[in-house]
Amino acid sequence: MSDSLPLREKYLALIDEIIQTTLKGKISSQEQVYQMLLKGVSADTGEVFELALSDRLNSIQQQVDTEKDELKQAKATRSLRAIKTIQSQWQRAQQQNKTTEAITSAIREVTLAEAGSRLAAFLRAIDPNRKNALNLQQLQQVSKSLQQFAQADSDFQDISNGINRGIIAWQRLQDHLVSWMYEQSRESLGFGGVPGERGPWATWSKQVNSEFPQALFRYLALEKSAIEFAQLHSGISLRDWVEIAIILQYLQRGLVNWFDQQPYNVKAGSKLSISTFLTFAVIWSQLANGFGSAASIYSAGCSQVMLQILRTFAQRSYFPLYGGIFASFSGKYLRDALNYLDEPLRQVEGTQEKARILTLLGSSQRAFGQYRRSVEFHQQALEIARSAGDRVCEIANLNHLSRTHVAQKMYGDAIDFSQRALILSRQTGDRTGEANALVNLGYSEVMQAQQTEQVEPEVYETAINYLQQGLTLSERLGDVQSKALCLSSLGIAYLVIEQPQTAIKYLEDGLQAAQISGDLYLQALNLANLAEAYYHLQDSEKAIYAGCLGMYLLNQIASNEWHKSAGLLTIIQGQIGEESFRKLLYKNRSNIIPVIGVDGYDYIPQLLEEYKGSL
């Protein structure tokens, strides 16, 4: 502290000087105070200045409180106003110092990096997860500063030019950020519909002038793989890569910001924020896969951006710890999308954010029918969450492990995991975790009772009571995702105990809740189970309608469970004859097309033939 004493005295003198010149009327604006502070206080000694400012403020405040002489008290009051002005302008100056330091730090990181590491250094410098993340204006300053090093090395010229081109493109795209939403009556990100004609990529491709981003947007608009695109463009320049990085990142952030501000808009809200984070993360992961060893620097850069997006996403309050496949993942080229996030995540150290991302991957793998991989993801996430003290994430993974073990018909383990989740959720006050644990416990016990052929009604009554408790709690919490799972599980439970009419009520309500939450897997699962319930009631028409939709949607998200629906439909076809089946399918054509389109409807008979061929 003794080393800072002369500096403290210097800053006390500066404060007194500003106060005195203010009292004499020589300082007439706050801007003058601000400029004096910028000039007089260096950024790295701010703590010493704050101590001096605090001391002087306290002494003047005490003088105001205790001074009896009116003239001296009036002067002290004016001094107090002056030092409060210094205090407010110091906060402003401090922010400016932080901004300057952030820009200086970014330039230093890039220019001091070795040739092969400059792109990685640049991406670290513009990481939105940094404490003092750079805004657009500051990024422009980074670009301008890099120009000073351009003659010494062409990499700096390319990065600077890429930044400038990316910013110009983003400024053109801003006015068209969500215009595509009003050109189509959809509430997804537009990865379905007519390829190349509608949706965000088609709209944005018309607004950018540069060849590379325009080509990428057209590729995505046609629902072609970003992997294939990257393979075709492995000789891309650093300038073009930086340009597309700036454009994609600002598009993603712009969409998320817009959706976050639309909580009551039925076409937007957090559901589409989630879809946006996932969609852009997957695109970056696919690009990383496509560039591969042929352009390893760019491949590593794509993975770096993908992880930055996921880390930002994992910190959001609406991160879907209990969600699965969301509606924006209905497009062909995103069919197995989340698989591509696996490999890059293996290289990341254990963090709380990684645990949450692995949770999402695990639940998605369960939807695909990849149960072993699902368990691996959830076990890894469980360990990381436990180490990080993230109890909510820990409980979520216990719940997911319960659900995955049910899918594997390992009901004893499923009950064990759900009981652990229930105990921990009640200990920590995690009501969403408790609702899911109650559902999983009840669901596991119903399935175990069926497996062991227990017929005692009280066994099922106890299990269904857990499910009802979970439903009541999820409704009280207003948690639509958990409610959808509760309703679906209750529907399946009543199917198991051969009460199809009651099952239909819960499954239809579950379908509606899944549509609101945007969980495509749960929507498909409810339709598949509705088909079974209608079949038990000998209502072939409704069974065919629900079964065909469930089968198609499960197939579209690469879930192996589509075979179960196809098997049921094949049985119905055998019972009523192919001609009657075809007529009933055509009768429901007008109801099916709004959900999956004409191409989807036409694909249904082909799917059934594919299933029969696999027998």
Side-chain angles (χ1 to χ4, degrees):
M1 189 69 184
S2 58
D3 291 341
S4 64
L5 192 60
L7 188 59
R8 180 174 174 278
E9 296 300 330
K10 173 190 168 185
Y11 286 154
L12 282 170
L14 174 63
I15 294 165
D16 290 340
E17 179 190 351
I18 296 173
I19 292 171
Q20 292 306 314
T21 49
T22 301
L23 294 179
K24 291 175 182 176
K26 293 181 180 180
I27 293 181
S28 57
S29 70
Q30 294 187 2
E31 183 64 28
Q32 288 175 285
V33 175
Y34 173 65
Q35 292 300 330
M36 289 180 74
L37 291 172
L38 279 182
K39 184 179 178 182
V41 184
S42 58
D44 57 342
T45 59
E47 289 184 11
V48 180
F49 178 80
E50 285 181 7
L51 286 171
L53 185 63
S54 177
D55 286 350
R56 191 60 86 231
L57 177 62
N58 290 336
S59 64
I60 293 174
Q61 183 67 60
Q62 186 176 13
Q63 191 177 355
V64 170
D65 294 341
T66 59
E67 184 59 62
K68 303 299 182 184
D69 185 286
E70 289 185 8
L71 288 174
K72 289 182 179 179
Q73 189 183 52
K75 183 180 178 182
T77 302
R78 292 199 303 275
S79 297
L80 185 63
R81 281 199 297 270
I83 199 168
K84 286 186 175 179
T85 298
I86 296 172
Q87 194 175 40
S88 66
Q89 292 309 302
W90 166 243
Q91 291 172 352
R92 180 186 166 196
Q94 200 174 27
Q95 187 57 48
Q96 177 59 40
N97 286 335
K98 287 178 182 177
T99 299
T100 303
E101 175 55 30
I103 294 169
T104 304
S105 174
I107 296 162
R108 187 167 54 242
E109 263 188 87
V110 176
T111 55
L112 293 180
E114 295 180 6
S117 304
R118 284 170 187 159
L119 179 58
F122 170 67
L123 293 174
R124 282 195 302 272
I126 65 169
D127 187 348
N129 299 295
R130 278 196 162 189
K131 188 177 180 181
N132 296 305
L134 298 174
N135 61 29
L136 203 63
Q137 186 179 7
Q138 291 156 6
L139 189 58
Q140 287 174 312
Q141 289 178 261
V142 170
S143 172
K144 188 176 179 180
S145 297
L146 285 175
Q147 286 287 351
Q148 299 171 15
F149 300 88
Q151 289 185 344
D153 197 296
S154 60
D155 281 358
F156 303 134
Q157 182 72 57
D158 281 348
I159 293 173
S160 176
N161 289 343
I163 293 171
N164 292 337
R165 288 163 67 105
I167 290 173
I168 290 169
W170 162 239
Q171 288 168 339
R172 287 176 61 86
L173 288 166
Q174 272 184 298
D175 292 338
H176 304 273
L177 184 64
V178 293
S179 61
W180 51 271
M181 288 190 70
Y182 302 100
E183 296 167 3
Q184 55 189 36
S185 58
R186 300 174 60 83
E187 60 178 292
S188 75
L189 273 175
F191 292 112
V194 183
E197 294 182 14
R198 295 181 181 177
W201 306 116
T203 299
W204 297 335
S205 69
K206 297 169 188 172
Q207 303 305 321
V208 291
N209 292 328
S210 299
E211 183 179 338
F212 185 73
Q214 193 174 70
L216 175 60
F217 290 170
R218 285 175 178 167
Y219 226 78
L220 296 176
L222 291 169
E223 294 191 346
K224 292 184 179 180
S225 170
I227 296 174
E228 182 185 322
F229 178 85
Q231 289 169 341
L232 293 171
H233 294 82
S234 59
I236 181 179
S237 68
L238 179 58
R239 183 197 67 182
D240 286 345
W241 195 98
V242 171
E243 178 185 8
I244 198 64
I246 299 297
I247 294 170
L248 286 178
Q249 288 186 80
Y250 276 94
L251 279 172
Q252 174 251 312
R253 292 174 209 168
L255 283 172
V256 169
N257 289 338
W258 193 85
F259 291 140
D260 283 352
Q261 293 168 20
Q262 316 294 319
Y264 304 112
N265 186 332
V266 294
K267 295 185 73 175
S270 62
K271 179 171 71 175
L272 286 188
S273 294
I274 291 167
S275 293
T276 302
F277 274 118
L278 289 175
T279 299
F280 279 83
V282 164
I283 288 170
W284 278 112
S285 187
Q286 291 180 329
L287 288 172
N289 188 316
F291 282 122
S293 57
S296 57
I297 294 174
Y298 299 141
S299 177
C302 292
S303 293
Q304 196 173 343
V305 175
M306 182 270 290
L307 290 170
Q308 289 175 358
I309 291 171
L310 289 176
R311 280 172 177 153
T312 303
F313 180 34
Q315 295 166 43
R316 297 298 175 104
S317 61
Y318 47 69
F319 184 83
L321 282 171
Y322 290 98
I325 306 298
F326 287 82
S328 67
F329 282 84
S330 57
K332 292 178 184 176
Y333 82 93
L334 287 175
R335 181 168 163 175
D336 293 314
L338 294 179
N339 288 333
Y340 295 113
L341 303 182
D342 178 12
E343 189 57 38
L345 277 173
R346 292 180 186 271
Q347 303 166 22
V348 183
E349 295 178 6
T351 63
Q352 182 177 347
E353 289 85 359
K354 183 181 178 182
R356 291 183 169 233
I357 297 161
L358 288 169
T359 306
L360 179 66
L361 292 177
S363 63
S364 299
Q365 289 303 313
R366 183 173 66 250
F368 295 153
Q370 302 293 328
Y371 302 132
R372 184 180 296 177
R373 291 187 73 198
S374 175
V375 169
E376 288 174 1
F377 280 132
H378 287 308
Q379 288 285 11
Q380 191 179 356
L382 184 66
E383 291 172 15
I384 296 170
R386 195 171 282 154
S387 299
D390 188 347
R391 290 289 173 263
V392 172
C393 187
E394 181 182 349
I395 293 161
N397 280 283
L398 288 170
N399 274 317
H400 282 301
L401 283 164
S402 173
R403 206 76 186 179
T404 306
H405 280 85
V406 166
Q408 294 175 297
K409 297 182 171 56
M410 299 167 66
Y411 303 124
D413 289 335
I415 290 169
D416 178 58
F417 280 116
S418 61
Q419 286 175 333
R420 287 163 61 188
L422 185 60
I423 292 167
L424 191 55
S425 62
R426 284 176 170 169
Q427 286 175 345
T428 58
D430 176 11
R431 303 290 276 168
T432 299
E434 182 183 352
N436 279 271
L438 285 165
V439 173
N440 290 328
L441 180 56
Y443 185 61
S444 304
E445 290 192 349
V446 166
M447 302 308 288
Q448 186 183 56
Q450 183 199 35
Q451 185 187 53
T452 55
E453 298 181 349
Q454 294 185 49
V455 293
E456 296 83 358
E458 58 268 19
V459 174
Y460 290 103
E461 285 172 11
T462 302
I464 287 175
N465 181 49
Y466 284 130
L467 289 166
Q468 290 286 4
Q469 287 181 52
L471 177 60
T472 301
L473 182 53
S474 64
E475 287 177 332
R476 194 180 304 150
L477 294 170
D479 183 349
V480 181
Q481 179 69 40
S482 297
K483 179 181 176 182
L485 180 64
C486 293
L487 289 164
S488 175
S489 300
L490 274 162
I492 295 169
Y494 279 105
L495 265 180
V496 167
I497 61 175
E498 298 180 359
Q499 294 186 30
Q501 198 66 59
T502 306
I504 287 169
K505 175 187 178 299
Y506 285 113
L507 290 169
E508 286 180 340
D509 289 347
L511 175 61
Q512 186 178 12
Q515 287 169 336
I516 294 169
S517 71
D519 193 323
L520 193 61
Y521 172 63
L522 212 49
Q523 291 176 47
L525 207 58
N526 277 294
L527 285 162
N529 287 312
L530 273 168
E532 190 174 339
Y534 285 123
Y535 173 72
H536 285 302
L537 292 175
Q538 298 182 332
D539 190 335
S540 296
E541 182 181 341
K542 288 183 178 178
I544 290 169
Y545 165 73
C548 286
L549 277 179
M551 174 185 69
Y552 177 84
L553 292 173
L554 286 166
N555 176 265
Q556 283 295 291
I557 59 173
S559 172
N560 291 331
E561 293 184 62
W562 75 270
H563 291 99
K564 185 179 178 182
S565 294
L568 177 64
L569 290 168
T570 301
I571 291 170
I572 295 171
Q573 193 177 53
Q575 289 175 345
I576 66 174
E578 287 192 22
E579 182 62 22
S580 296
F581 184 92
R582 187 186 62 77
K583 286 180 179 178
L584 289 175
L585 178 60
Y586 184 77
K587 190 176 178 182
N588 278 291
R589 186 175 186 273
S590 60
N591 295 322
I592 292 173
I593 286 175
V595 183
I596 62 173
V598 175
D599 290 345
Y601 174 82
D602 291 341
Y603 188 53
I604 288 170
Q606 187 178 331
L607 258 184
L608 282 172
E609 289 305 312
E610 185 181 327
Y611 169 75
K612 291 174 188 175
S614 69
L615 296 176

